[in-house]
Amino acid sequence: MTQLRNIMTQNVMTVNETQSVQEAAGIMSQYNVGAVPVVSSGGQMVGILTDRDITLRTTAQGQNAQTPISEVMTAQQMVKGTPEMDVDQAAQLMSQQQIRRLPIEENGQLVGMVALGDLAVQNQHADEAGQALASISTPSSPQQ
């Protein structure tokens, strides 16, 4: 089985929890990514910030661009993988948790990121990526 170590993106751009949403959005635009891990000043991953977080928790709530990332990031129930996980395990975890990106940690440090696209690029893993995407993309009812 292919381990995540072999397919993960390694040099992951991160942001600090004290930076502004505008700074994070600039980094996301510059690197053409939809999510960035949020790290503390000690380098520990404390959350993740997605383009959806910015839209729903900043823009839609009337917050300004200088809002600290710590106020809008996703921090609870962070789901992480390890470099030793195989692609099947990652796809299953991503499907169960309904996430499109999986931060990879080793010895408490962020070492990479795996996205559904990484799974799909691996021809032998196209089925796993498709199954995960089908689960993640299950339509939900609009919130009232």
Side-chain angles (χ1 to χ4, degrees):
M1 295 307 271
T2 302
Q3 290 185 335
L4 296 185
R5 174 181 315 282
N6 299 320
I7 66 165
M8 69 185 185
T9 300
Q10 292 186 2
N11 296 315
V12 178
M13 185 48 85
T14 62
V15 292
N16 187 283
E17 61 191 334
T18 61
Q19 286 180 271
S20 72
V21 170
Q22 183 174 19
E23 289 175 289
I27 289 168
M28 293 165 80
S29 175
Q30 179 181 353
Y31 291 94
N32 194 29
V33 295
V36 287
V38 181
V39 296
S40 67
S41 55
Q44 302 295 316
M45 186 173 159
V46 295
I48 191 162
L49 182 71
T50 67
D51 45 12
R52 190 167 196 270
D53 292 330
I54 292 171
T55 300
L56 298 180
R57 296 182 184 154
T58 307
T59 309
Q61 300 299 319
Q63 299 285 337
N64 74 38
Q66 297 310 309
T67 299
I69 292 169
S70 61
E71 292 184 20
V72 297
M73 69 183 187
T74 299
Q76 301 121 355
Q77 302 172 336
M78 279 195 316
V79 179
K80 304 172 191 172
T82 66
E84 293 76 31
M85 287 178 77
D86 66 46
V87 171
D88 291 334
Q89 291 171 313
Q92 183 177 13
L93 179 61
M94 292 168 80
S95 175
Q96 287 171 343
Q97 298 296 318
Q98 300 216 339
I99 57 173
R100 295 173 185 263
R101 301 163 189 99
L102 183 65
I104 308 301
E105 276 194 345
E106 188 171 44
N107 300 321
Q109 297 294 312
L110 180 70
V111 294
M113 183 81 86
V114 172
L116 276 182
D118 298 324
L119 301 181
V121 167
Q122 303 292 316
N123 284 338
Q124 71 254 34
H125 304 299
D127 288 342
E128 288 93 337
Q131 290 170 354
L133 182 57
S135 294
I136 293 165
S137 298
T138 301
S140 62
S141 301
Q143 293 182 349
Q144 301 294 325

